[in-house]
Amino acid sequence: MCLYSVVVPVYNSEHTLQELYTRLEKVFRETIKEEFELILVDDGSRDRSFAVMQALREKDPRVKIIQMARNFGQHPALLCGFAHVKGEFIVTMDDDLQHQPEELPKMINVMKERDDVDVIIASYEGRKHNLIRKLGTKLSVWATSKMLGKDPNLQITSYRLIRRFLVEAMLKTNTYLPQIGNLLVLSSNRIINVPVQHA
């Protein structure tokens, strides 16, 4: 059995964490049928997120909690979570349910079929963002492609499935203001998109 480590940066998400856990647990139990751990990194939340995480951990020992001293941002929170993963494959996803756990099997199935792929990044079908955010994303993609020599058609999102050796490589980099997507592109050319539904 493979072990999957799901790393979720948490910021003021008291209203979505229980549902995120419930849906993830069901997907791994009924569809993926593999072992998983859920690493929740509290990035300086000011609501009851930490209390909700504690309740989840009391119910399920597969839930791990890391509490940051203050709000550092999504990417440092992910790197902090990466330092504690035990899985052969690492999943990153957001805490607000825009990344649907039910779409994860699509990414895992492709990874199982493709030995030539190190990272799968979800690309969004029916993206639910407003026009300004979509334009900002396009500009960001263009700039990143120019700076890093990235395929401009490769979508960079925060819903990802990564082989463990790349996570270990990222932990060894000493980068100010790290961006996980950029670190992945610099570490491997074997990255593909898999389309998923975006909530």
Side-chain angles (χ1 to χ4, degrees), residues 111-126:
M111 185 71 90
K112 285 180 176 177
E113 294 166 2
R114 298 280 303 268
D115 289 336
D116 62 330
V117 170
D118 297 330
V119 183
I120 290 176
I121 301 177
S123 57
Y124 301 140
E125 297 175 333

Side-chain angles (χ1 to χ4, degrees), residues 2-17:
C2 268
L3 175 65
Y4 290 82
S5 296
V6 183
V7 182
V8 180
V10 175
Y11 184 70
N12 292 349
S13 301
E14 62 178 304
H15 299 298
T16 56
L17 284 173

Side-chain angles (χ1 to χ4, degrees), residues 87-158:
E88 294 98 308
F89 297 94
I90 289 78
V91 177
T92 69
M93 62 192 306
D94 292 349
D95 59 355
D96 57 6
L97 301 175
Q98 290 191 48
H99 298 159
Q100 299 183 71
E102 295 79 13
E103 297 292 284
L104 183 55
K106 294 179 183 176
M107 300 160 69
I108 288 176
N109 288 338
V110 173
M111 185 71 90
K112 285 180 176 177
E113 294 166 2
R114 298 280 303 268
D115 289 336
D116 62 330
V117 170
D118 297 330
V119 183
I120 290 176
I121 301 177
S123 57
Y124 301 140
E125 297 175 333
R127 185 190 288 263
K128 300 293 194 296
H129 293 150
N130 62 38
L131 179 61
I132 302 260
R133 183 159 175 186
K134 286 179 180 176
L135 288 173
T137 299
K138 284 191 174 181
L139 180 61
S140 174
V141 167
W142 177 83
T144 303
S145 300
K146 289 291 185 186
M147 287 187 294
L148 302 179
K150 178 187 77 67
D151 178 356
N153 295 315
L154 181 69
Q155 277 193 39
I156 301 294
T157 72
S158 51

